[in-house]
Amino acid sequence: MFEYAPAPESREIVDIKPSYGLFIGGEWVDSQGDTHHKTINPASEEVLAEVAWATEADVDRAVQAARTAFTTWSALPGSERAKYIFRIARIIQERSRELAVLETLDNGKPIRESRDVDLPLVAAHFFYYAGWADKLGYAGYGADPRPLGVAGQVIPWNFPLLMLAWKIAPALACGNTVVLKPAETTPLTALAFADICRQADLPPGVVNIVTGAGETGAALVNHPGVDKVAFTGSTEVGRMIARSVAGTGKKLTLELGGKAANIVFEDAALDQAVEGIVNGIFFNQGHVCCAGSRLLVQESVADEVLDALKRRLSTLRLGDPMDKNTDIGAINSAAQLAKIRELAEAGVNEGAERWSPACPIPERGFWFPPTVFTGVAQSHRIAREEIFGPVLSVLTFRTPAEAVEKANNTPYGLSAGIWTEKGSRILWMADRLRAGVVWANTFNRFDPTSPFGGYKESGYGREGGRHGLEAYLAV
């Protein structure tokens, strides 16, 4: 493999403030507590900014601001709400380079993913739901659907701005107001979005951003003034939220963990399948809830697929996420890196064979090389637990029925992939796979018009598409 000259993206387009407060009622305000958190660049461990952590009293202020704004926002005609949402989408497009750089600095993902995947999808979601705002009566939820009220939304650190778009865009289109808490390790793009709301002249209080850790999220979820809770994150936290809102009358959607099977049949276009395998598990360092972390390959082509996969992984570049040539960026935090290392060690201890390409690791920051485990049994932790990192477990199968049985042998049910040239087999498999999203001859492809969500311990409810409106309407 020949070496590319470094092609770093400039940081100059981003103006990061030394410290940030909370965005409540259309204004930047100080937290009523004295706790601040340093958000860092996971590729270098450089401190980017200090961010205030909201107290329970701060969350109450935000919910009250959202409740006050709800009266006027919900009364606006859908066509008027659409103008604001459309304006937000246009500003996101205009500031996309700035936002992509900020996302990469705060999250650790490669700049070409932030620039070419995340930001176009963020804008697309706002454009899409702007189109729905004056057509809710035709969405299939009654002739005159009503908004719920105040939506409390908690998002993860793997796709900070995209998860914000998935939640805020449909909520606003339906006439709700929002209090959103971003992940404690990736707050900066949510705070930049607050500035976009002001730039778009969004009425004060329609969107409020409160930063903090689990205590802040719990205060938001449990606040009696919140009518709807939307959470994306771990299954463990999702269970806690489900218990806490049970019996309160709050509407709840949960998008939780996954352990997706990426299934390759012997008649598949194998070179194409290898690219899909790489995209399925190594995109965004494997920090993807629907990642294809279990490769199920038909026994007759297993050696051929593994040889091709190892050759392809040997061409991936790990390093500076701000370099446009980088394929594998930094792990988001030291805590997540420790979890990945623990589960990888468990794979070795349980008898699986570990392989990684020759991969120099930077001295500073949080890094983990792309890793493949073969000789994996279904009982191994690496085949059962969500690793949320660039680690692939390889299993084999002989028949389609065996593939279905192995794919469904998991407590999760978020996604799956099928690689075959036979359309009838794709339909047969998709009908039997217990997964909310099934990709055919592709993986990790998203569109704002398509619903996304899971079964079993992957949560319930759908985001995206017409289906994503239901969670924010009193139907």
Side-chain angles (χ1 to χ4, degrees):
M1 180 179 70
F2 62 88
E3 289 299 321
Y4 287 109
E9 175 64 85
S10 173
R11 291 182 53 164
E12 298 302 315
I13 194 171
V14 175
D15 181 21
I16 301 177
K17 299 175 183 177
S19 63
Y20 290 87
L22 312 173
F23 186 70
I24 297 175
E27 301 291 338
W28 293 106
V29 299
D30 294 329
S31 170
Q32 294 187 14
D34 57 1
T35 303
H36 289 75
H37 171 74
K38 291 182 172 66
T39 184
I40 68 171
N41 180 345
S44 64
E45 302 178 62
E46 163 203 3
V47 175
L48 297 172
E50 279 200 351
V51 179
W53 279 14
T55 65
E56 190 171 337
D58 295 320
V59 170
D60 182 64
R61 277 196 295 167
V63 173
Q64 295 304 324
R67 178 62 60 193
T68 301
F70 174 71
T71 302
T72 53
W73 179 252
S74 62
L76 285 178
S79 58
E80 291 301 309
R81 292 198 303 271
K83 291 177 183 178
Y84 287 104
I85 303 169
F86 187 85
R87 194 179 301 159
I88 288 170
R90 289 295 301 270
I91 295 171
I92 288 169
Q93 284 187 322
E94 292 165 2
R95 296 177 60 175
S96 62
R97 185 181 171 204
E98 169 198 352
L99 293 168
V101 170
L102 188 60
E103 195 82 301
T104 288
L105 289 172
D106 205 23
N107 172 276
K109 65 175 62 186
I111 184 64
R112 64 183 183 84
E113 292 182 7
S114 300
R115 179 195 63 196
D116 299 341
V117 179
D118 290 25
L119 263 298
L121 280 171
V122 170
H125 273 80
F126 279 98
F127 277 125
Y128 176 73
Y129 282 109
W132 268 116
D134 62 349
K135 305 175 186 67
L136 298 175
Y138 305 95
Y141 304 116
D144 188 28
R146 302 278 85 193
L148 293 168
V150 177
Q153 303 175 331
V154 180
I155 60 173
W157 46 261
N158 57 335
F159 291 93
L161 199 53
L162 183 57
M163 293 298 99
L164 176 150
W166 280 25
K167 302 234 177 340
I168 290 182
L172 299 190
C174 292
N176 301 278
T177 53
V178 168
V179 180
L180 179 134
K181 189 201 86 70
E184 59 264 37
T185 61
T186 54
L188 294 186
T189 45
L191 296 169
F193 181 80
D195 184 58
I196 289 172
C197 291
R198 295 184 68 177
Q199 189 178 346
D201 292 325
L202 191 70
V206 173
V207 170
N208 306 271
I209 309 290
V210 291
T211 47
E215 295 81 4
T216 304
L220 177 58
V221 166
N222 295 320
H223 195 288
V226 168
D227 303 292
K228 151 75 182 176
V229 173
F231 172 76
T232 296
S234 71
T235 296
E236 292 75 17
V237 175
R239 287 196 191 100
M240 294 169 58
I241 291 174
R243 284 193 294 266
S244 69
V245 305
T248 65
K250 296 177 183 177
K251 204 164 186 176
L252 174 65
T253 50
L254 298 172
E255 196 266 281
L256 308 175
K259 194 68 181 175
N262 209 355
I263 306 165
V264 179
F265 286 92
E266 61 186 359
D267 66 333
L270 296 185
D271 288 340
Q272 179 184 346
V274 166
E275 291 302 311
I277 295 165
V278 171
N279 184 55
I281 183 59
F282 300 115
F283 171 66
N284 197 29
Q285 296 73 252
H287 297 335
V288 185
C289 51
C290 55
S293 54
R294 290 183 298 149
L295 173 61
L296 272 59
V297 58
Q298 199 155 19
E299 198 173 273
S300 56
V301 292
D303 290 342
E304 183 179 354
V305 169
L306 279 172
D307 288 345
L309 179 61
K310 289 179 179 179
R311 287 195 301 271
R312 180 66 179 90
L313 294 184
S314 297
T315 69
L316 296 182
R317 289 172 168 80
L318 180 147
D320 181 7
M322 290 289 285
D323 190 325
K324 302 180 189 73
N325 298 320
T326 295
D327 300 298
I328 306 290
I331 303 302
N332 179 253
S333 67
Q336 185 59 31
L337 179 59
K339 178 185 176 183
I340 296 169
R341 285 174 171 168
E342 177 199 346
L343 285 167
E345 287 301 316
V348 173
N349 294 337
E350 290 179 336
E353 183 177 343
R354 178 176 179 173
W355 180 89
S356 293
C359 190
I361 303 295
E363 293 182 3
R364 291 187 61 81
F366 314 126
W367 307 91
F368 197 87
T371 299
V372 176
F373 278 99
T374 52
V376 178
Q378 298 239 79
S379 59
H380 288 173
R381 289 182 65 191
I382 55 173
R384 294 183 290 109
E385 299 181 27
E386 184 179 39
I387 301 173
F388 222 61
V391 180
L392 178 67
S393 299
V394 182
L395 301 96
T396 61
F397 67 92
R398 293 184 178 181
T399 66
E402 183 185 356
V404 169
E405 187 174 352
K406 286 187 173 181
N408 288 340
N409 185 23
T410 173
Y412 299 107
L414 192 55
S415 65
I418 306 165
W419 298 84
T420 176
E421 68 171 12
K422 294 182 173 63
S424 59
R425 179 179 287 157
I426 290 170
L427 296 174
W428 187 91
M429 292 285 294
D431 192 46
R432 289 160 176 78
L433 291 171
R434 191 62 173 160
V437 179
V438 179
W439 286 290
N441 294 322
T442 189
F443 209 95
N444 273 343
R445 299 296 179 186
F446 304 97
D447 189 281
T449 66
S450 179
F452 183 89
Y455 298 105
K456 300 188 287 186
E457 292 189 11
S458 290
Y460 46 80
R462 294 294 181 266
E463 294 181 302
R466 178 184 65 84
H467 305 71
L469 297 167
E470 182 181 7
Y472 293 97
L473 293 171
V475 296

